[in-house]
Amino acid sequence: MGQQTAAVPYDMLAPVYDRWTAGDHYERWAEFVAARLPALDAPPQVLDLCCGTGRLSLLLRERGCLVTGVDRSPAMLAQAARRLGPDTPLLRADLRRMSLPRSYDAAVCTFDSLNYLVDDGDLESALTGTARALRLGGVLVFDVNTRHKLENVFGDSHYGDDLGDFAYVWRNRHDRATRRTTFEITLFQRREDGAFTRQDERHVQRWFAHAEIEAAAAAAGLRVADVRDDYGDGEPGADSMRETWVLRRS
């Protein structure tokens, strides 16, 4: 029989996360960010917020950045440490209560991490903490899942896959009144004895209107410089599933 355990978000996913997300476009994200970094005489100091397993951190480091990774999941930070080695600082912190010295030229927060800030005031708190860590003229690049994606693409759906040594079932439920989508994820991992261990995680995201993001940015002392459709050249539209925002500390 398999063994069932409970896990906090991303702790159970950390060991399989890179394989799960192998098809995502980290190279494109890194290029987008690198093109918007301030022009400096020295290598830019970059915060990778919600850095996960460190894939984007490594790509930014390869492009000449001095990266510091931040995440609240110990399991994800452990994976990042294996990838990045001792030369990249890694910090455990919650974006809503983050306090760092003002010494960074840029910050990035990718893969819809800010959608996890579901309570009123959370987004402003996260942007304020980030702004405090940025030098004057510093840039913040982040992306968010759109209303269309959370309501209509994820919505009330379910799916899964079997990848041999692990399999998963993913169930989505959207609440229009609260603008929140709940993801119930069940992961089955094969043990050395051939049995499977079952683990369950719950993730919750909400979508943000443009006016909400703009107000939170202004309260944090950040100016909206640009909004793009999913790290591309086009402007977001009704069918956009991810928006990429570029803010600057004024």
PDB file of all heavy atoms in Angstrom, residues 47 51 68-72 77 89-93 100 104:
ATOM      1  N   LEU A  47      17.691  40.522  -7.510  1.00  0.00           N
ATOM      2  CA  LEU A  47      16.923  39.656  -6.623  1.00  0.00           C
ATOM      3  C   LEU A  47      16.030  38.760  -7.464  1.00  0.00           C
ATOM      4  O   LEU A  47      15.228  39.255  -8.268  1.00  0.00           O
ATOM      5  CB  LEU A  47      16.037  40.495  -5.700  1.00  0.00           C
ATOM      6  CG  LEU A  47      16.586  41.021  -4.390  1.00  0.00           C
ATOM      7  CD1 LEU A  47      15.542  41.912  -3.731  1.00  0.00           C
ATOM      8  CD2 LEU A  47      16.995  39.894  -3.461  1.00  0.00           C
ATOM      9  N   CYS A  51      12.361  32.204  -6.167  1.00  0.00           N
ATOM     10  CA  CYS A  51      13.328  31.665  -7.126  1.00  0.00           C
ATOM     11  C   CYS A  51      13.147  30.183  -7.390  1.00  0.00           C
ATOM     12  O   CYS A  51      13.716  29.648  -8.346  1.00  0.00           O
ATOM     13  CB  CYS A  51      14.751  31.919  -6.637  1.00  0.00           C
ATOM     14  SG  CYS A  51      15.191  31.047  -5.109  1.00  0.00           S
ATOM     15  N   THR A  68      20.771  37.063  -6.113  1.00  0.00           N
ATOM     16  CA  THR A  68      20.383  36.560  -4.798  1.00  0.00           C
ATOM     17  C   THR A  68      18.992  35.956  -4.927  1.00  0.00           C
ATOM     18  O   THR A  68      18.063  36.622  -5.380  1.00  0.00           O
ATOM     19  CB  THR A  68      20.362  37.684  -3.742  1.00  0.00           C
ATOM     20  OG1 THR A  68      21.673  38.230  -3.599  1.00  0.00           O
ATOM     21  CG2 THR A  68      19.876  37.159  -2.400  1.00  0.00           C
ATOM     22  N   GLY A  69      18.862  34.698  -4.546  1.00  0.00           N
ATOM     23  CA  GLY A  69      17.578  34.022  -4.639  1.00  0.00           C
ATOM     24  C   GLY A  69      16.811  34.106  -3.335  1.00  0.00           C
ATOM     25  O   GLY A  69      17.389  34.008  -2.251  1.00  0.00           O
ATOM     26  N   VAL A  70      15.497  34.289  -3.444  1.00  0.00           N
ATOM     27  CA  VAL A  70      14.624  34.376  -2.276  1.00  0.00           C
ATOM     28  C   VAL A  70      13.439  33.447  -2.482  1.00  0.00           C
ATOM     29  O   VAL A  70      12.810  33.459  -3.555  1.00  0.00           O
ATOM     30  CB  VAL A  70      14.115  35.815  -2.048  1.00  0.00           C
ATOM     31  CG1 VAL A  70      13.176  35.871  -0.844  1.00  0.00           C
ATOM     32  CG2 VAL A  70      15.276  36.779  -1.872  1.00  0.00           C
ATOM     33  N   ASP A  71      13.122  32.638  -1.485  1.00  0.00           N
ATOM     34  CA  ASP A  71      11.949  31.777  -1.553  1.00  0.00           C
ATOM     35  C   ASP A  71      11.530  31.445  -0.128  1.00  0.00           C
ATOM     36  O   ASP A  71      12.356  31.504   0.794  1.00  0.00           O
ATOM     37  CB  ASP A  71      12.253  30.489  -2.334  1.00  0.00           C
ATOM     38  CG  ASP A  71      11.014  29.889  -2.975  1.00  0.00           C
ATOM     39  OD1 ASP A  71      10.176  29.347  -2.236  1.00  0.00           O
ATOM     40  OD2 ASP A  71      10.879  29.973  -4.208  1.00  0.00           O
ATOM     41  N   ARG A  72      10.272  31.090   0.062  1.00  0.00           N
ATOM     42  CA  ARG A  72       9.837  30.721   1.413  1.00  0.00           C
ATOM     43  C   ARG A  72       9.779  29.214   1.612  1.00  0.00           C
ATOM     44  O   ARG A  72       9.524  28.754   2.723  1.00  0.00           O
ATOM     45  CB  ARG A  72       8.469  31.336   1.725  1.00  0.00           C
ATOM     46  CG  ARG A  72       7.293  30.745   0.981  1.00  0.00           C
ATOM     47  CD  ARG A  72       5.996  31.326   1.522  1.00  0.00           C
ATOM     48  NE  ARG A  72       4.828  30.732   0.878  1.00  0.00           N
ATOM     49  CZ  ARG A  72       3.571  30.935   1.273  1.00  0.00           C
ATOM     50  NH1 ARG A  72       3.345  31.717   2.313  1.00  0.00           N
ATOM     51  NH2 ARG A  72       2.567  30.377   0.647  1.00  0.00           N
ATOM     52  N   LEU A  77      14.452  25.859  -1.916  1.00  0.00           N
ATOM     53  CA  LEU A  77      15.774  26.460  -1.717  1.00  0.00           C
ATOM     54  C   LEU A  77      16.861  25.394  -1.694  1.00  0.00           C
ATOM     55  O   LEU A  77      17.978  25.628  -2.171  1.00  0.00           O
ATOM     56  CB  LEU A  77      15.790  27.268  -0.423  1.00  0.00           C
ATOM     57  CG  LEU A  77      15.042  28.599  -0.452  1.00  0.00           C
ATOM     58  CD1 LEU A  77      14.972  29.200   0.944  1.00  0.00           C
ATOM     59  CD2 LEU A  77      15.690  29.578  -1.429  1.00  0.00           C
ATOM     60  N   PRO A  89      23.923  33.651  -3.174  1.00  0.00           N
ATOM     61  CA  PRO A  89      23.227  33.687  -1.880  1.00  0.00           C
ATOM     62  C   PRO A  89      21.760  33.301  -2.033  1.00  0.00           C
ATOM     63  O   PRO A  89      21.097  33.689  -3.007  1.00  0.00           O
ATOM     64  CB  PRO A  89      23.368  35.153  -1.437  1.00  0.00           C
ATOM     65  CG  PRO A  89      24.482  35.709  -2.265  1.00  0.00           C
ATOM     66  CD  PRO A  89      24.458  34.969  -3.561  1.00  0.00           C
ATOM     67  N   LEU A  90      21.258  32.546  -1.074  1.00  0.00           N
ATOM     68  CA  LEU A  90      19.862  32.136  -1.051  1.00  0.00           C
ATOM     69  C   LEU A  90      19.277  32.492   0.303  1.00  0.00           C
ATOM     70  O   LEU A  90      19.860  32.173   1.342  1.00  0.00           O
ATOM     71  CB  LEU A  90      19.725  30.633  -1.310  1.00  0.00           C
ATOM     72  CG  LEU A  90      20.201  30.145  -2.679  1.00  0.00           C
ATOM     73  CD1 LEU A  90      20.191  28.618  -2.725  1.00  0.00           C
ATOM     74  CD2 LEU A  90      19.334  30.724  -3.795  1.00  0.00           C
ATOM     75  N   LEU A  91      18.112  33.140   0.290  1.00  0.00           N
ATOM     76  CA  LEU A  91      17.474  33.603   1.510  1.00  0.00           C
ATOM     77  C   LEU A  91      16.068  33.028   1.612  1.00  0.00           C
ATOM     78  O   LEU A  91      15.344  32.969   0.608  1.00  0.00           O
ATOM     79  CB  LEU A  91      17.380  35.138   1.520  1.00  0.00           C
ATOM     80  CG  LEU A  91      18.673  35.922   1.282  1.00  0.00           C
ATOM     81  CD1 LEU A  91      18.368  37.408   1.195  1.00  0.00           C
ATOM     82  CD2 LEU A  91      19.685  35.642   2.386  1.00  0.00           C
ATOM     83  N   ARG A  92      15.708  32.619   2.807  1.00  0.00           N
ATOM     84  CA  ARG A  92      14.330  32.194   3.034  1.00  0.00           C
ATOM     85  C   ARG A  92      13.536  33.379   3.555  1.00  0.00           C
ATOM     86  O   ARG A  92      13.875  33.964   4.595  1.00  0.00           O
ATOM     87  CB  ARG A  92      14.270  31.043   4.028  1.00  0.00           C
ATOM     88  CG  ARG A  92      12.845  30.497   4.190  1.00  0.00           C
ATOM     89  CD  ARG A  92      12.764  29.405   5.222  1.00  0.00           C
ATOM     90  NE  ARG A  92      11.401  28.930   5.358  1.00  0.00           N
ATOM     91  CZ  ARG A  92      10.967  28.152   6.340  1.00  0.00           C
ATOM     92  NH1 ARG A  92      11.819  27.740   7.281  1.00  0.00           N
ATOM     93  NH2 ARG A  92       9.712  27.781   6.394  1.00  0.00           N
ATOM     94  N   ALA A  93      12.480  33.767   2.839  1.00  0.00           N
ATOM     95  CA  ALA A  93      11.683  34.928   3.239  1.00  0.00           C
ATOM     96  C   ALA A  93      10.311  34.852   2.596  1.00  0.00           C
ATOM     97  O   ALA A  93      10.131  34.267   1.528  1.00  0.00           O
ATOM     98  CB  ALA A  93      12.377  36.229   2.845  1.00  0.00           C
ATOM     99  N   LEU A 100      14.947  43.632   3.295  1.00  0.00           N
ATOM    100  CA  LEU A 100      16.311  43.484   2.795  1.00  0.00           C
ATOM    101  C   LEU A 100      16.941  44.863   2.656  1.00  0.00           C
ATOM    102  O   LEU A 100      16.246  45.868   2.492  1.00  0.00           O
ATOM    103  CB  LEU A 100      16.303  42.789   1.428  1.00  0.00           C
ATOM    104  CG  LEU A 100      15.752  41.367   1.384  1.00  0.00           C
ATOM    105  CD1 LEU A 100      15.642  40.891  -0.050  1.00  0.00           C
ATOM    106  CD2 LEU A 100      16.628  40.427   2.188  1.00  0.00           C
ATOM    107  N   TYR A 104      19.996  46.542  -4.388  1.00  0.00           N
ATOM    108  CA  TYR A 104      19.773  45.778  -5.604  1.00  0.00           C
ATOM    109  C   TYR A 104      19.366  46.699  -6.760  1.00  0.00           C
ATOM    110  O   TYR A 104      18.636  47.671  -6.584  1.00  0.00           O
ATOM    111  CB  TYR A 104      18.702  44.712  -5.376  1.00  0.00           C
ATOM    112  CG  TYR A 104      19.125  43.688  -4.345  1.00  0.00           C
ATOM    113  CD1 TYR A 104      18.793  43.855  -2.999  1.00  0.00           C
ATOM    114  CD2 TYR A 104      19.905  42.596  -4.699  1.00  0.00           C
ATOM    115  CE1 TYR A 104      19.210  42.944  -2.047  1.00  0.00           C
ATOM    116  CE2 TYR A 104      20.328  41.677  -3.743  1.00  0.00           C
ATOM    117  CZ  TYR A 104      19.975  41.858  -2.419  1.00  0.00           C
ATOM    118  OH  TYR A 104      20.389  40.956  -1.469  1.00  0.00           O
TER     119      TYR A 104
END
